[in-house]
Amino acid sequence: MKKILLLSDTHSHIDDAILKYVNQADEVWHAGDIGHVEVYEQLRKMKPLRGVHGNIDSWTLRCQCPEYLSYMIEDVKVLMIHKAGSPGKYSPACRKLIISEKPGLLIGGHSHILKVMQDNSNNLLFLNPGAAGLEGIHKVMTLLRFSLDKGKVVNMEIIEKERSPSRI
C-alpha cells in the first residue's frame, strides 16, 4: 500500500501546513503549475515526487517534469497531464492519451477546481486536486490524499485550507 499526496497549481506557494501532509505521504504527485523550481526541489528532497509541468512553469521545470506521465503503481495504471479537462470534456491531447495509455486513474490540474469523478465510459477514476497555491479563482486551497492498494484507490480525503501568506 502507498500513501499518496496529490497537489496541483501551487504557483510557487508552499507552506508548513502543506509540508505536514508531504511528511505523512509515501509519494507526492504534482499535476503541474508548480511555479518556482525551489518548490519542486523542496518536495523532491522530502519524498519521491512525480510531476508534470503546467502552462506557467519555466523551461527549467519543463526539463525536469514532462508534459505527461504514464506509470504503474500498486497495480494501478496512472496517467497525469496538467490540462486534462474533465470527464466528457477532455482536452484533445488527453483524449489521445486515454486511448493509447488506457489508465485506471487519470490526474489533471489547471482548472483550480477540485473534482473526483468516476468516468464509466473510459473505465477510469478522474482526480483533479484543485489548487494548493495562492493564485487563481479558488477561495479555498485543496489537496487530495489517498492510498493505492492492490489496484484500488482507497481512503480518499479532501484537504482544505484557507489561503495564507506565501513562504517561497
Side-chain angles (χ1 to χ4, degrees), residues 76-77 87 90 98 101-106 117-126 151:
V76 177
K77 177 76 175 268
Y90 293 121
I98 290 169
E101 300 296 325
K102 297 177 182 28
L105 179 59
L106 173 61
M117 300 173 67
Q118 186 64 43
D119 177 353
N120 292 325
S121 64
N122 289 294
N123 197 29
L124 60 84
L125 177 63
F126 174 79

Side-chain angles (χ1 to χ4, degrees), residues 128-142:
N128 184 324
L134 299 173
E135 303 294 323
I137 62 168
H138 59 285
K139 302 261 190 258
V140 176
M141 299 160 65
T142 55

Side-chain angles (χ1 to χ4, degrees), residues 78-91:
V78 179
L79 173 62
M80 185 187 312
I81 182 170
H82 182 63
K83 288 186 176 182
S86 62
K89 301 174 192 168
Y90 293 121
S91 69

Side-chain angles (χ1 to χ4, degrees), residues 88-156:
K89 301 174 192 168
Y90 293 121
S91 69
C94 187
R95 278 195 304 269
K96 288 179 186 173
L97 287 168
I98 290 169
I99 292 166
S100 65
E101 300 296 325
K102 297 177 182 28
L105 179 59
L106 173 61
I107 295 171
H110 188 64
S111 70
H112 293 225
I113 300 168
L114 173 75
K115 286 188 182 179
V116 176
M117 300 173 67
Q118 186 64 43
D119 177 353
N120 292 325
S121 64
N122 289 294
N123 197 29
L124 60 84
L125 177 63
F126 174 79
L127 302 179
N128 184 324
L134 299 173
E135 303 294 323
I137 62 168
H138 59 285
K139 302 261 190 258
V140 176
M141 299 160 65
T142 55
L143 305 90
L144 288 173
R145 181 166 58 175
F146 57 92
S147 295
L148 295 172
D149 188 20
K150 298 177 188 133
K152 296 184 188 256
V153 176
V154 297
N155 304 323
M156 177 79 61

